[in-house]
Amino acid sequence: MVLRDRWGRDLRTAGVTLVDWEGHIANPAVELLLDLGERVNLPARVVLTANGCRLMFNLFSEVGPSGPTRVLLYESHERSARFRMAVVPDRAGGDEDYTLTARLTTGVGEERTAQWRVRVLDQDRPEPPAAFVHVDYSQDETGFFRDARARRIFEQAVGDWTYFLADQGFEPVEAGRETAFINEPTTFERGHTVQNASAYTGYLLYAQGIQVPERRSGGRASDTGGLQRRDGRALGLRRSGTVLSEITGNWNGLGWSMEEDDDRWWVSSCSAGEPHDYYSVVRHEIGHTLLYHRVHPAFARLMRNGRIHADAVRAYLGQEPRVNASEHLFETVDPISRVGAFGNEYGGDMPRKRWLLTKVDLLMLQAVGYRLRPTTSLAPLEIEAPRICRGSVGERLSCPIKIAGGIPPYRVRVSRGALPEGVELNDRTGELTGIPSREGRYAIGLEVEDGDPRRPARRAALRLIIDRP
Ligand SMILES: [Ca+2]
Ligand SMILES: [Ca+2]
Ligand SMILES: [Zn+2]
């Protein structure tokens, strides 16, 4: 069995590289290929497993405490099967190491096992908690937020959004100047308005428990208050909002799954027959309050003819995503993580468990006017080479090429010219090394690609000058 990356490179030595992007956001789903040798009797079956509870394969697959499982079937002639692999995000720093195991069984009962190293490249960095969103529990009449777990999960979900936000430069809101709507705890229909008791800068978010006949939660920005101001100008963003948490759980009265640990992300699918994951639902509803709601004029402006019109979102998705009356991107799948985007959490190609922020959300935050921090999922791919690199025949050449950003691992190739005899390109780092055996001048073009298959390759040019010994 030979495991290959999307460029066809044999991963026996390098193993599989996954990335845990900065922050709590759905990570890239890496495309892999498992080839069977010519002598393997077909049909054959391979059972893939990996020994990490946050690892996952694309569907159809299983996930759980001892890691994911996926079956690949090789029927009549096909000796190659594709699958994807990703790691569920966490917020902690540190690379992680796992093992991918493939157990082959052929039609004539032969069995074989192969293993590869799986390395998770961690890009998390500790950040001071942003004080942008101020959570206010004072309007909760149900007692739901007396439970410290409910408050912790709510605040974690807030923090997972605001992690990606830079300082907004918003002007302070004086006490009594912002108005929000608070529901009666038994209905979506009636309620009253409240004013902010004290001054704040940022977003004032009321967290309210409700128990309504619809048995669902909700989130909205305030259309009775004012707009955020920056540099003396009003923006298209509201300054407050409300998240309503149905205290009996969403839809089915089975209560909530109050899991806080990322290692237990797989417990709830938010499906009909089980308690829904509270983190997933409040994280979604907070998204409505911050941006996905038409009472934000900036969001309303993006919605035209049932689609979102925003350049960066169109460039990322290859089209303008459809949006429905609930402000959901109901059929969009994030192209890198293959996870359903906001409002399409039951879609996508990956196991549908805890709902995750996707890169689409970051681009949407930016499109409505929030300032983002330069976190790694947004980092452009870059290659930097010296204009001239000098060496001598018979002496070790070292020509440093710097590749950064994008989604590692990289694939570098010579796109123009030919390397001097004795000099080799490291196709993962771009490094040129070796002992040249002939003098001369060589004009070389290098080209790098990363884990985003739709990103155009980046190029660099350099001259190698090899002198006489
Ligand atoms: Ca992370
Ligand atoms: Ca991490
Ligand atoms: Zn929604």
Side-chain angles (χ1 to χ4, degrees):
M1 284 179 271
V2 179
L3 184 68
R4 300 183 189 279
D5 66 13
R6 74 179 180 91
W7 297 284
R9 295 184 294 194
D10 185 338
L11 298 177
R12 193 178 346 183
T13 316
V16 177
T17 306
L18 305 177
V19 172
D20 181 35
W21 270 339
E22 196 176 356
H24 204 267
I25 183 169
N27 287 318
V30 174
E31 197 181 318
L32 297 163
L33 224 83
L34 187 62
D35 288 345
L36 302 185
E38 281 305 316
R39 290 207 301 274
V40 171
N41 186 283
L42 295 186
R45 182 188 67 171
V46 169
V47 179
L48 293 171
T49 55
N51 62 342
C53 61
R54 279 173 33 250
L55 298 176
M56 57 180 169
F57 301 120
N58 61 329
L59 292 173
F60 194 81
S61 63
E62 308 281 347
V63 292
S66 50
T69 306
R70 194 188 195 284
V71 176
L72 302 176
L73 291 177
Y74 297 78
E75 284 156 328
S76 52
H77 309 295
E78 199 48 70
R79 291 185 178 272
S80 187
R82 273 169 208 282
F83 65 100
R84 286 177 186 270
M85 195 172 179
V87 63
V88 171
D90 70 1
R91 306 166 188 89
D95 290 347
E96 301 168 54
D97 286 294
Y98 301 103
T99 304
L100 170 67
T101 302
R103 288 191 181 83
L104 167 76
T105 311
T106 69
V108 293
E110 299 162 299
E111 292 187 3
R112 210 176 299 165
T113 298
Q115 292 193 315
W116 297 265
R117 208 163 61 94
V118 177
R119 165 135 278 224
V120 177
L121 284 182
D122 176 77
Q123 299 181 335
D124 281 312
R125 271 181 285 175
E127 279 296 317
F132 172 72
V133 171
H134 309 275
V135 181
D136 186 327
Y137 299 110
S138 67
Q139 303 299 318
D140 174 36
E141 293 176 35
T142 63
F144 182 74
F145 289 103
R146 278 205 290 270
D147 178 356
R149 271 180 321 169
R151 293 198 304 275
R152 281 198 304 269
I153 294 171
F154 193 97
E155 286 161 33
Q156 182 66 73
V158 167
D160 286 341
W161 279 100
T162 58
Y163 180 90
F164 297 97
L165 297 178
D167 181 0
Q168 300 301 313
F170 291 158
E171 293 172 12
V173 182
E174 288 169 40
R177 296 302 296 275
E178 174 63 6
T179 308
F181 189 79
I182 300 298
N183 279 77
E184 282 179 24
T186 54
T187 173
F188 276 113
E189 309 305 321
R190 292 181 305 280
H192 62 278
T193 55
V194 290
Q195 270 76 43
N196 58 312
S198 49
Y200 69 94
T201 303
Y203 192 90
L204 181 55
L205 183 58
Y206 293 96
Q208 222 200 317
I210 50 164
Q211 188 173 0
V212 291
E214 299 93 326
R215 296 208 285 206
R216 67 170 178 86
S217 302
R220 56 153 193 271
S222 171
D223 55 354
T224 55
L227 295 171
Q228 301 280 16
R229 299 178 65 83
R230 181 190 282 151
D231 304 326
R233 294 214 335 254
L235 304 174
L237 293 169
R238 293 286 175 180
R239 309 187 294 196
S240 68
T242 313
V243 167
L244 305 132
S245 299
E246 165 59 55
I247 63 172
T248 67
N250 256 24
W251 306 115
N252 54 24
L254 294 176
W256 291 107
S257 171
M258 301 296 264
E259 291 295 341
E260 295 180 71
D261 188 351
D262 284 318
D263 285 352
R264 288 176 56 79
W265 67 283
W266 47 268
V267 169
S268 170
S269 299
C270 298
S271 61
E274 62 181 15
H276 288 206
D277 181 42
Y278 185 58
Y279 171 86
S280 295
V281 173
V282 286
R283 222 247 332 111
H284 174 95
E285 302 302 351
I286 292 163
H288 282 300
T289 68
L290 289 177
L291 75 151
Y292 291 104
H293 190 196
R294 69 194 73 196
V295 310
H296 288 290
F299 186 81
R301 279 197 289 274
L302 297 182
M303 285 174 71
R304 258 197 332 269
N305 303 324
R307 292 192 182 266
I308 296 286
H309 297 262
D311 291 346
V313 175
R314 185 196 309 113
Y316 180 59
L317 297 176
Q319 60 176 357
E320 286 164 339
R322 291 180 70 195
V323 59
N324 63 14
S326 312
E327 287 104 347
H328 288 163
L329 310 182
F330 61 101
E331 56 181 22
T332 298
V333 174
D334 176 61
I336 298 291
S337 66
R338 307 304 304 167
V339 164
F342 188 88
N344 187 30
E345 288 88 352
Y346 296 104
D349 303 333
M350 305 306 282
R352 290 154 199 175
K353 295 291 185 178
R354 173 158 284 180
W355 301 352
L356 299 169
L357 271 163
T358 68
K359 187 170 170 179
V360 177
D361 294 309
L362 302 195
L363 299 175
M364 286 296 299
L365 282 166
Q366 201 160 36
V368 297
Y370 288 105
R371 290 174 175 164
L372 299 188
R373 294 200 299 120
T375 48
T376 55
S377 59
L378 300 171
L381 176 63
E382 291 167 338
I383 178 166
E384 210 183 288
R387 213 163 54 80
I388 294 172
C389 202
R390 259 197 134 95
S392 299
V393 170
E395 281 176 33
R396 181 157 293 280
L397 173 83
S398 170
C399 186
I401 311 288
K402 225 186 104 204
I403 297 172
I407 305 168
Y410 308 117
R411 198 286 294 259
V412 194
R413 62 185 196 94
V414 175
S415 57
R416 192 163 51 80
L419 295 175
E421 226 168 88
V423 175
E424 279 188 357
L425 168 76
N426 180 322
D427 72 344
R428 294 184 155 250
T429 64
E431 204 187 2
L432 294 170
T433 53
I435 300 172
S437 56
R438 206 182 300 170
E439 65 182 275
R441 288 160 176 263
Y442 305 82
I444 306 293
L446 295 179
E447 185 180 275
V448 60
E449 293 175 285
D450 73 334
D452 181 348
R454 295 142 326 120
R455 196 191 323 256
R458 296 285 187 273
R459 294 189 176 85
L462 75 157
R463 288 178 76 77
L464 276 178
I465 301 177
I466 309 299
D467 297 320
R468 237 173 281 183

mmCIF file of all heavy atoms in Angstrom, residues 259-287:
data_model
loop_
_atom_site.group_PDB
_atom_site.id
_atom_site.type_symbol
_atom_site.label_atom_id
_atom_site.label_comp_id
_atom_site.label_asym_id
_atom_site.label_seq_id
_atom_site.Cartn_x
_atom_site.Cartn_y
_atom_site.Cartn_z
ATOM 1 N N GLU A 259 -21.113 19.670 26.882
ATOM 2 C CA GLU A 259 -19.703 19.282 26.785
ATOM 3 C C GLU A 259 -18.819 20.508 26.615
ATOM 4 O O GLU A 259 -19.090 21.354 25.772
ATOM 5 C CB GLU A 259 -19.490 18.350 25.591
ATOM 6 C CG GLU A 259 -20.105 16.979 25.755
ATOM 7 C CD GLU A 259 -19.466 16.178 26.869
ATOM 8 O OE1 GLU A 259 -18.336 16.509 27.281
ATOM 9 O OE2 GLU A 259 -20.114 15.225 27.332
ATOM 10 N N GLU A 260 -17.754 20.574 27.408
ATOM 11 C CA GLU A 260 -16.832 21.697 27.281
ATOM 12 C C GLU A 260 -15.509 21.285 26.636
ATOM 13 O O GLU A 260 -14.786 22.118 26.117
ATOM 14 C CB GLU A 260 -16.543 22.281 28.668
ATOM 15 C CG GLU A 260 -17.766 22.886 29.317
ATOM 16 C CD GLU A 260 -17.445 23.441 30.687
ATOM 17 O OE1 GLU A 260 -16.753 24.467 30.758
ATOM 18 O OE2 GLU A 260 -17.885 22.838 31.689
ATOM 19 N N ASP A 261 -15.206 19.988 26.687
ATOM 20 C CA ASP A 261 -13.896 19.502 26.289
ATOM 21 C C ASP A 261 -13.882 19.210 24.782
ATOM 22 O O ASP A 261 -14.732 18.470 24.286
ATOM 23 C CB ASP A 261 -13.620 18.212 27.083
ATOM 24 C CG ASP A 261 -12.211 17.720 26.904
ATOM 25 O OD1 ASP A 261 -11.499 18.265 26.038
ATOM 26 O OD2 ASP A 261 -11.841 16.773 27.623
ATOM 27 N N ASP A 262 -12.923 19.789 24.071
ATOM 28 C CA ASP A 262 -12.811 19.513 22.632
ATOM 29 C C ASP A 262 -12.605 18.030 22.344
ATOM 30 O O ASP A 262 -12.974 17.547 21.287
ATOM 31 C CB ASP A 262 -11.631 20.288 22.030
ATOM 32 C CG ASP A 262 -11.960 21.743 21.855
ATOM 33 O OD1 ASP A 262 -13.087 22.048 21.408
ATOM 34 O OD2 ASP A 262 -11.111 22.591 22.184
ATOM 35 N N ASP A 263 -11.989 17.311 23.293
ATOM 36 C CA ASP A 263 -11.780 15.880 23.093
ATOM 37 C C ASP A 263 -13.112 15.122 23.049
ATOM 38 O O ASP A 263 -13.158 13.964 22.659
ATOM 39 C CB ASP A 263 -10.900 15.301 24.216
ATOM 40 C CG ASP A 263 -9.446 15.700 24.027
ATOM 41 O OD1 ASP A 263 -9.110 16.268 22.970
ATOM 42 O OD2 ASP A 263 -8.646 15.435 24.946
ATOM 43 N N ARG A 264 -14.186 15.788 23.485
ATOM 44 C CA ARG A 264 -15.508 15.142 23.427
ATOM 45 C C ARG A 264 -16.430 15.855 22.443
ATOM 46 O O ARG A 264 -17.649 15.886 22.592
ATOM 47 C CB ARG A 264 -16.105 15.083 24.840
ATOM 48 C CG ARG A 264 -15.343 14.042 25.693
ATOM 49 C CD ARG A 264 -15.796 13.992 27.122
ATOM 50 N NE ARG A 264 -17.219 13.753 27.292
ATOM 51 C CZ ARG A 264 -17.819 12.570 27.203
ATOM 52 N NH1 ARG A 264 -17.108 11.495 26.913
ATOM 53 N NH2 ARG A 264 -19.128 12.450 27.394
ATOM 54 N N TRP A 265 -15.840 16.381 21.386
ATOM 55 C CA TRP A 265 -16.576 17.084 20.326
ATOM 56 C C TRP A 265 -17.561 16.176 19.602
ATOM 57 O O TRP A 265 -18.507 16.642 18.983
ATOM 58 C CB TRP A 265 -15.561 17.619 19.302
ATOM 59 C CG TRP A 265 -14.885 16.497 18.563
ATOM 60 C CD1 TRP A 265 -13.880 15.702 19.045
ATOM 61 C CD2 TRP A 265 -15.195 16.004 17.267
ATOM 62 N NE1 TRP A 265 -13.536 14.752 18.120
ATOM 63 C CE2 TRP A 265 -14.333 14.915 17.010
ATOM 64 C CE3 TRP A 265 -16.112 16.374 16.270
ATOM 65 C CZ2 TRP A 265 -14.360 14.193 15.824
ATOM 66 C CZ3 TRP A 265 -16.138 15.651 15.081
ATOM 67 C CH2 TRP A 265 -15.267 14.582 14.873
ATOM 68 N N TRP A 266 -17.316 14.868 19.695
ATOM 69 C CA TRP A 266 -18.071 13.877 18.919
ATOM 70 C C TRP A 266 -19.321 13.399 19.654
ATOM 71 O O TRP A 266 -20.077 12.596 19.117
ATOM 72 C CB TRP A 266 -17.170 12.662 18.630
ATOM 73 C CG TRP A 266 -16.436 12.212 19.867
ATOM 74 C CD1 TRP A 266 -15.197 12.623 20.271
ATOM 75 C CD2 TRP A 266 -16.918 11.349 20.897
ATOM 76 N NE1 TRP A 266 -14.869 12.059 21.470
ATOM 77 C CE2 TRP A 266 -15.904 11.264 21.878
ATOM 78 C CE3 TRP A 266 -18.087 10.615 21.065
ATOM 79 C CZ2 TRP A 266 -16.044 10.492 23.026
ATOM 80 C CZ3 TRP A 266 -18.236 9.843 22.193
ATOM 81 C CH2 TRP A 266 -17.219 9.791 23.170
ATOM 82 N N VAL A 267 -19.563 13.864 20.880
ATOM 83 C CA VAL A 267 -20.665 13.317 21.691
ATOM 84 C C VAL A 267 -22.027 13.567 21.043
ATOM 85 O O VAL A 267 -22.854 12.676 20.961
ATOM 86 C CB VAL A 267 -20.622 13.887 23.125
ATOM 87 C CG1 VAL A 267 -21.891 13.542 23.889
ATOM 88 C CG2 VAL A 267 -19.399 13.346 23.862
ATOM 89 N N SER A 268 -22.269 14.804 20.588
ATOM 90 C CA SER A 268 -23.589 15.129 20.042
ATOM 91 C C SER A 268 -23.490 15.530 18.583
ATOM 92 O O SER A 268 -22.567 16.228 18.177
ATOM 93 C CB SER A 268 -24.215 16.270 20.833
ATOM 94 O OG SER A 268 -25.370 16.743 20.173
ATOM 95 N N SER A 269 -24.481 15.070 17.783
ATOM 96 C CA SER A 269 -24.579 15.474 16.379
ATOM 97 C C SER A 269 -25.624 16.549 16.192
ATOM 98 O O SER A 269 -25.946 16.905 15.073
ATOM 99 C CB SER A 269 -24.990 14.288 15.507
ATOM 100 O OG SER A 269 -24.044 13.279 15.580
ATOM 101 N N CYS A 270 -26.236 17.033 17.294
ATOM 102 C CA CYS A 270 -27.361 17.957 17.193
ATOM 103 C C CYS A 270 -28.457 17.363 16.304
ATOM 104 O O CYS A 270 -29.089 18.070 15.525
ATOM 105 C CB CYS A 270 -26.919 19.323 16.655
ATOM 106 S SG CYS A 270 -25.738 20.165 17.724
ATOM 107 N N SER A 271 -28.650 16.042 16.392
ATOM 108 C CA SER A 271 -29.665 15.402 15.551
ATOM 109 C C SER A 271 -30.933 15.169 16.369
ATOM 110 O O SER A 271 -30.940 15.320 17.593
ATOM 111 C CB SER A 271 -29.134 14.095 14.968
ATOM 112 O OG SER A 271 -28.814 13.210 16.008
ATOM 113 N N ALA A 272 -32.003 14.783 15.659
ATOM 114 C CA ALA A 272 -33.346 14.772 16.236
ATOM 115 C C ALA A 272 -33.459 13.954 17.526
ATOM 116 O O ALA A 272 -34.152 14.342 18.458
ATOM 117 C CB ALA A 272 -34.330 14.255 15.196
ATOM 118 N N GLY A 273 -32.766 12.830 17.592
ATOM 119 C CA GLY A 273 -33.008 11.906 18.678
ATOM 120 C C GLY A 273 -32.103 12.058 19.888
ATOM 121 O O GLY A 273 -32.062 11.172 20.742
ATOM 122 N N GLU A 274 -31.361 13.160 19.985
ATOM 123 C CA GLU A 274 -30.398 13.264 21.082
ATOM 124 C C GLU A 274 -30.330 14.717 21.576
ATOM 125 O O GLU A 274 -30.735 15.631 20.865
ATOM 126 C CB GLU A 274 -29.011 12.811 20.614
ATOM 127 C CG GLU A 274 -28.469 13.691 19.498
ATOM 128 C CD GLU A 274 -27.100 13.255 18.994
ATOM 129 O OE1 GLU A 274 -26.672 12.141 19.288
ATOM 130 O OE2 GLU A 274 -26.479 14.068 18.303
ATOM 131 N N PRO A 275 -29.828 14.930 22.784
ATOM 132 C CA PRO A 275 -29.643 16.308 23.250
ATOM 133 C C PRO A 275 -28.682 17.047 22.327
ATOM 134 O O PRO A 275 -27.660 16.494 21.931
ATOM 135 C CB PRO A 275 -29.015 16.138 24.637
ATOM 136 C CG PRO A 275 -29.301 14.731 25.040
ATOM 137 C CD PRO A 275 -29.362 13.933 23.766
ATOM 138 N N HIS A 276 -29.022 18.259 21.964
ATOM 139 C CA HIS A 276 -28.138 19.034 21.084
ATOM 140 C C HIS A 276 -26.961 19.597 21.879
ATOM 141 O O HIS A 276 -27.045 19.800 23.087
ATOM 142 C CB HIS A 276 -28.910 20.168 20.423
ATOM 143 C CG HIS A 276 -29.864 19.691 19.370
ATOM 144 N ND1 HIS A 276 -30.268 20.471 18.322
ATOM 145 C CD2 HIS A 276 -30.485 18.499 19.213
ATOM 146 C CE1 HIS A 276 -31.103 19.777 17.557
ATOM 147 N NE2 HIS A 276 -31.252 18.589 18.084
ATOM 148 N N ASP A 277 -25.883 19.845 21.148
ATOM 149 C CA ASP A 277 -24.659 20.354 21.754
ATOM 150 C C ASP A 277 -24.838 21.856 22.030
ATOM 151 O O ASP A 277 -24.980 22.649 21.096
ATOM 152 C CB ASP A 277 -23.507 20.111 20.775
ATOM 153 C CG ASP A 277 -22.164 20.574 21.319
ATOM 154 O OD1 ASP A 277 -21.907 20.333 22.510
ATOM 155 O OD2 ASP A 277 -21.379 21.165 20.554
ATOM 156 N N TYR A 278 -24.830 22.245 23.292
ATOM 157 C CA TYR A 278 -25.104 23.648 23.635
ATOM 158 C C TYR A 278 -24.074 24.590 23.007
ATOM 159 O O TYR A 278 -24.413 25.645 22.470
ATOM 160 C CB TYR A 278 -25.158 23.835 25.160
ATOM 161 C CG TYR A 278 -25.556 25.244 25.548
ATOM 162 C CD1 TYR A 278 -26.761 25.792 25.116
ATOM 163 C CD2 TYR A 278 -24.715 26.033 26.327
ATOM 164 C CE1 TYR A 278 -27.118 27.096 25.436
ATOM 165 C CE2 TYR A 278 -25.070 27.344 26.654
ATOM 166 C CZ TYR A 278 -26.269 27.858 26.206
ATOM 167 O OH TYR A 278 -26.628 29.152 26.515
ATOM 168 N N TYR A 279 -22.799 24.194 23.051
ATOM 169 C CA TYR A 279 -21.761 25.023 22.434
ATOM 170 C C TYR A 279 -22.104 25.313 20.972
ATOM 171 O O TYR A 279 -22.043 26.451 20.513
ATOM 172 C CB TYR A 279 -20.388 24.347 22.529
ATOM 173 C CG TYR A 279 -19.331 25.071 21.726
ATOM 174 C CD1 TYR A 279 -18.625 26.130 22.276
ATOM 175 C CD2 TYR A 279 -19.086 24.725 20.393
ATOM 176 C CE1 TYR A 279 -17.692 26.823 21.523
ATOM 177 C CE2 TYR A 279 -18.163 25.419 19.632
ATOM 178 C CZ TYR A 279 -17.466 26.464 20.196
ATOM 179 O OH TYR A 279 -16.552 27.163 19.456
ATOM 180 N N SER A 280 -22.462 24.250 20.215
ATOM 181 C CA SER A 280 -22.735 24.422 18.782
ATOM 182 C C SER A 280 -23.824 25.458 18.563
ATOM 183 O O SER A 280 -23.701 26.350 17.720
ATOM 184 C CB SER A 280 -23.205 23.090 18.171
ATOM 185 O OG SER A 280 -22.182 22.128 18.214
ATOM 186 N N VAL A 281 -24.903 25.324 19.328
ATOM 187 C CA VAL A 281 -26.070 26.167 19.082
ATOM 188 C C VAL A 281 -25.809 27.612 19.525
ATOM 189 O O VAL A 281 -26.101 28.543 18.778
ATOM 190 C CB VAL A 281 -27.323 25.558 19.741
ATOM 191 C CG1 VAL A 281 -28.510 26.518 19.627
ATOM 192 C CG2 VAL A 281 -27.658 24.222 19.077
ATOM 193 N N VAL A 282 -25.235 27.826 20.703
ATOM 194 C CA VAL A 282 -24.985 29.228 21.080
ATOM 195 C C VAL A 282 -23.922 29.861 20.190
ATOM 196 O O VAL A 282 -24.015 31.040 19.869
ATOM 197 C CB VAL A 282 -24.614 29.471 22.563
ATOM 198 C CG1 VAL A 282 -25.801 29.321 23.451
ATOM 199 C CG2 VAL A 282 -23.441 28.671 23.013
ATOM 200 N N ARG A 283 -22.942 29.091 19.766
ATOM 201 C CA ARG A 283 -21.921 29.657 18.877
ATOM 202 C C ARG A 283 -22.574 30.135 17.574
ATOM 203 O O ARG A 283 -22.269 31.193 17.051
ATOM 204 C CB ARG A 283 -20.822 28.624 18.616
ATOM 205 C CG ARG A 283 -19.441 29.218 18.649
ATOM 206 C CD ARG A 283 -18.707 29.222 17.323
ATOM 207 N NE ARG A 283 -19.079 28.168 16.426
ATOM 208 C CZ ARG A 283 -19.737 28.393 15.299
ATOM 209 N NH1 ARG A 283 -20.074 29.610 14.936
ATOM 210 N NH2 ARG A 283 -20.054 27.378 14.515
ATOM 211 N N HIS A 284 -23.532 29.346 17.103
ATOM 212 C CA HIS A 284 -24.292 29.734 15.914
ATOM 213 C C HIS A 284 -25.124 30.991 16.190
ATOM 214 O O HIS A 284 -25.078 31.958 15.415
ATOM 215 C CB HIS A 284 -25.182 28.555 15.499
ATOM 216 C CG HIS A 284 -26.121 28.875 14.369
ATOM 217 N ND1 HIS A 284 -25.831 28.597 13.061
ATOM 218 C CD2 HIS A 284 -27.344 29.463 14.382
ATOM 219 C CE1 HIS A 284 -26.839 29.001 12.298
ATOM 220 N NE2 HIS A 284 -27.782 29.530 13.066
ATOM 221 N N GLU A 285 -25.860 30.992 17.290
ATOM 222 C CA GLU A 285 -26.747 32.133 17.575
ATOM 223 C C GLU A 285 -25.945 33.421 17.793
ATOM 224 O O GLU A 285 -26.389 34.508 17.419
ATOM 225 C CB GLU A 285 -27.635 31.847 18.791
ATOM 226 C CG GLU A 285 -28.526 30.595 18.671
ATOM 227 C CD GLU A 285 -29.477 30.611 17.482
ATOM 228 O OE1 GLU A 285 -29.605 31.654 16.801
ATOM 229 O OE2 GLU A 285 -30.098 29.556 17.219
ATOM 230 N N ILE A 286 -24.777 33.318 18.383
ATOM 231 C CA ILE A 286 -23.913 34.496 18.553
ATOM 232 C C ILE A 286 -23.524 35.040 17.173
ATOM 233 O O ILE A 286 -23.436 36.253 16.962
ATOM 234 C CB ILE A 286 -22.676 34.153 19.407
ATOM 235 C CG1 ILE A 286 -23.112 33.868 20.857
ATOM 236 C CG2 ILE A 286 -21.652 35.299 19.393
ATOM 237 C CD1 ILE A 286 -22.071 33.132 21.683
ATOM 238 N N GLY A 287 -23.349 34.138 16.204
ATOM 239 C CA GLY A 287 -23.061 34.562 14.830
ATOM 240 C C GLY A 287 -24.169 35.440 14.266
ATOM 241 O O GLY A 287 -23.913 36.439 13.589
#
